[in-house]
Amino acid sequence: MSKKIAHLLSRPESEVSSILSDLEKKSGYPSEDVRLLVENKHRLRTKLTQIGLDPDDTTDQELYYALFAKFQRDGELLDQSLGIDQATSINERINRAVQIVSKIAKKEELWVLKKTAAKKALLAIPPRQVAKKLG
């Protein structure tokens, strides 16, 4: 698997392999690179299917143009919902977006992880290296 990562990073395979093995030792997760690559490949196949492309034979250019077309459609929908058109200046677009977000978002609302919940999560699934060092 280090061969694929080395290719992606344009680095020698021996260098990437030693870095990966060192990271696996430190994290306590052997073959984490394989798991991550498989997970990413699965996510990619799912996303390609979601945008209507065949994951088995989609080329780079097909993906680029499909994403570009989706970006344009989404941009048009956003412009339509903001009530703007091509002639609207960038400053006016930004001001309109800020107005809408300020109406929707409440400033006193904040989402955080409570200390007790974090403690429960760490006790339920402790990090391996920390658990090893603490006994």
Side-chain angles (χ1 to χ4, degrees):
M1 203 50 66
S2 59
K3 187 175 188 175
K4 289 183 180 180
I5 295 173
H7 177 70
L8 289 170
L9 297 174
S10 300
R11 306 295 286 199
E13 185 182 353
S14 58
E15 178 184 339
V16 171
S17 180
S18 66
I19 290 171
L20 287 175
S21 64
D22 188 40
L23 287 172
E24 287 174 352
K25 286 177 191 171
K26 289 179 181 176
S27 71
Y29 295 104
S31 301
E32 187 67 8
D33 59 329
V34 175
R35 188 193 66 75
L36 289 172
L37 284 172
V38 168
E39 182 182 322
N40 284 338
K41 189 172 185 175
H42 176 70
R43 285 182 179 172
L44 174 64
R45 292 182 66 82
T46 303
K47 291 296 179 187
L48 285 172
T49 304
Q50 284 177 353
I51 60 174
L53 297 174
D54 181 6
D56 292 323
D57 69 350
T58 299
T59 65
D60 299 344
Q61 283 186 329
E62 288 173 331
L63 177 59
Y64 172 81
Y65 288 114
L67 290 173
F68 188 73
K70 180 166 178 31
F71 173 76
Q72 286 183 321
R73 284 191 309 269
D74 291 348
E76 289 169 4
L77 283 172
L78 179 62
D79 287 350
Q80 192 176 32
S81 62
L82 290 174
I84 58 178
D85 58 13
Q86 296 295 329
T88 309
S89 71
I90 188 70
N91 287 335
E92 195 174 334
R93 289 171 184 248
I94 292 171
N95 289 336
R96 183 66 64 98
V98 169
Q99 287 173 352
I100 290 172
V101 170
S102 65
K103 287 180 183 176
I104 295 170
K106 295 179 181 176
K107 293 182 181 163
E108 58 275 345
E109 188 175 297
L110 180 65
W111 291 51
V112 294
L113 179 64
K114 291 185 177 180
K115 187 177 179 179
T116 55
K119 195 172 185 177
K120 281 182 187 177
L122 286 172
L123 288 172
I125 309 170
R128 291 181 185 176
Q129 291 296 321
V130 174
K132 189 187 288 185
K133 289 190 188 223
L134 296 176

